[in-house]
Amino acid sequence: MTDWNVRDIPDQHGRSAIVTGANSGIGYAAARELARRGAHVVLACRSAERGAAALERMSSEVPDGSVELMRLDLGDLGSVREFAAAYAQASDRLDLLVNNAGVMAVARSRTTDGFETQFGTNHLGHFALTGLLLPALLATPGARVVTVSSLMHLRANIDIDDLNSEHGYGRWLAYGRSKTANLLFTHELARRLAANGSEVVAAAAHPGYASTNLQTAGPSAEGRKSVERFMRIGNRFFAQSAEGGALPTLYAATAPAVRPDSFVGPSFAMWRGSPVPSLRASWTRDDRAGERLWAASEHLTGVTYDELKS
C-alpha cells in the first residue's frame, strides 16, 4: 500500500461504477480516475445543473471516457427508488457502488421523508440505494460497495433509541453519528454477504482532511460568513487536494488486496498521504449494534435486503 496512487489503479475496462455526489470534490475526482482507467461511470448527482457541468468538465478531461449523468437525491427515498429502477432497466450488472455523497454539520433540518438530514442523507439514503441495487451487485463477479465515512465518526457512537436526534441536536454530533452509521452499515453488510456466501466486498474509506465544498456548503447556505471564511482558510493552507482525498476511496474500490469491512484512510496522521488501514472506533465493529441499526434502517426506509438472510 506504500505510496499507492492513481497509476496503480487496475484496468477498469468492462466494469461499471456508480459514484454518488460525483459533481464535485472527492466524488468527482474518484469518478474521473475510474473513467480514465476505462470504467463506465454513472455520476449520481442531486443537482441536474451541477451534474451537467461536472459531466461536461469530465468529458473534456477524459475525452475517451464512458460517463453518464443520472439524477439522485439521497434525501428523498422516492428519488432513490427512481434512480435504482432506471439503472436496473438499463443494466443488470454493477461492479462498483461508491456511496460518497453527504452533508456535513448543517443546521437542524429534515429530509423529504422527515428524517434528520445528516442521518437521512449520509446513512439512510445510501442504505436504501445499496439495497435496491443489491441484485445487480450480487450478479456481478468481483463487485464492491465502498462507503465513505470520516474520522469524525470517532466523535460519537449512534444512539439507536434516538436516530433522528429528537432529544436534542448538535450539528457535529449528528454528523459524527451519521459517519459511525456508515461504518456500522459496512460492518453488517460485510457480515451478511459472507454469511450468504457472496464474494461482494463491502469496504469503507475516509479522505482525511481534503479541500472540498463539503466544509463550506453548510455555512454558505446558512449565511454564516465567519465560519465559511474559517473553513476556506483551513482548506487553503492545511487540507490536501480533492484528488489526494479520493485516493483511499479509489484504493478501497480497486486494489486487489482489499478485504471485507476494511477501513482505509490517508497515511500521514490520518490527514493526508497515500492510503493505509485507518484508525477505527471499536463501536463500529459491534455486531449487535450493526444488527439493530440494520433493522431500524429497513423499517425507516422500507427497503429490505431479501437476498441476504441474517
Side-chain angles (χ1 to χ4, degrees):
M1 215 185 276
T2 303
D3 295 328
W4 192 93
N5 58 58
V6 294
R7 293 186 297 276
D8 298 307
I9 297 173
D11 180 71
Q12 298 294 299
H13 283 89
R15 293 173 61 82
S16 57
I18 294 172
V19 182
T20 69
N23 59 282
S24 64
I26 65 171
Y28 178 87
R32 182 190 60 208
E33 296 311 318
L34 291 169
R36 199 188 303 276
R37 296 295 293 158
H40 173 74
V41 182
V42 175
L43 311 181
C45 304
R46 181 175 62 85
S47 167
E49 181 179 359
R50 291 192 292 271
L55 179 61
E56 182 177 1
R57 176 186 169 195
M58 196 172 297
S59 296
S60 67
E61 292 179 340
V62 190
D64 59 345
S66 177
V67 186
E68 66 175 303
L69 173 66
M70 293 179 65
R71 186 179 180 277
L72 171 65
D73 183 352
L74 289 160
D76 180 349
L77 292 177
S79 174
V80 175
R81 290 183 181 277
E82 289 175 6
F83 176 93
Y87 185 85
Q89 189 173 18
S91 178
D92 59 358
R93 62 172 290 143
L94 177 60
D95 295 88
L96 174 62
L97 172 60
V98 180
N99 292 324
N100 163 79
V103 293
M104 184 176 77
V106 296
R108 183 171 193 145
S109 57
R110 298 285 178 179
T111 67
T112 300
D113 304 283
F115 306 123
E116 185 278 308
T117 295
Q118 297 190 82
F119 177 70
T121 302
N122 298 352
H123 169 64
L124 289 178
H126 282 127
F127 178 91
L129 179 66
T130 305
L132 293 167
L133 293 173
L134 187 62
L137 290 161
L138 292 173
T140 308
R144 294 188 187 184
V145 178
V146 176
T147 300
V148 179
S149 182
S150 166
L151 278 179
M152 289 299 292
H153 85 275
L154 295 165
R155 182 181 176 91
N157 196 354
I158 61 167
D159 183 346
I160 196 65
D161 297 316
D162 190 25
L163 292 173
N164 281 303
S165 300
E166 302 285 356
H167 302 149
Y169 180 78
R171 63 180 72 215
W172 285 107
L173 180 65
Y175 180 68
R177 286 174 171 172
S178 75
K179 295 290 102 178
T180 281
N182 289 154
L183 285 170
L184 273 174
F185 166 59
T186 298
H187 177 72
E188 181 65 9
L189 178 58
R191 187 188 72 79
R192 289 180 180 238
L193 287 165
N196 285 268
S198 173
E199 295 184 355
V200 175
V201 172
H206 76 85
Y209 184 9
S211 177
T212 72
N213 65 5
L214 184 65
Q215 291 92 345
T216 57
S220 177
E222 297 167 31
R224 300 162 68 217
K225 298 299 184 182
S226 61
V227 176
E228 182 182 358
R229 284 195 296 271
F230 177 79
M231 291 296 187
R232 290 191 186 281
I233 290 170
N235 281 357
R236 180 176 180 182
F237 293 105
F238 301 105
Q240 65 177 335
S241 66
E243 287 73 16
L247 285 178
T249 296
L250 287 165
Y251 183 91
T254 67
V258 173
R259 306 298 303 164
D261 203 25
S262 299
F263 185 39
V264 182
S267 57
F268 180 72
M270 299 176 293
W271 188 284
R272 61 193 305 146
S274 56
V276 296
S278 180
L279 176 68
R280 180 172 178 174
S282 60
W283 56 70
T284 67
R285 289 196 174 99
D286 184 325
D287 289 347
R288 178 58 179 152
E291 291 171 1
R292 295 184 69 191
L293 177 63
W294 189 281
S297 301
E298 286 193 329
H299 173 73
L300 291 169
T301 64
V303 175
T304 57
Y305 286 57
D306 296 330
E307 298 87 350
L308 298 184
K309 299 176 182 179
S310 59

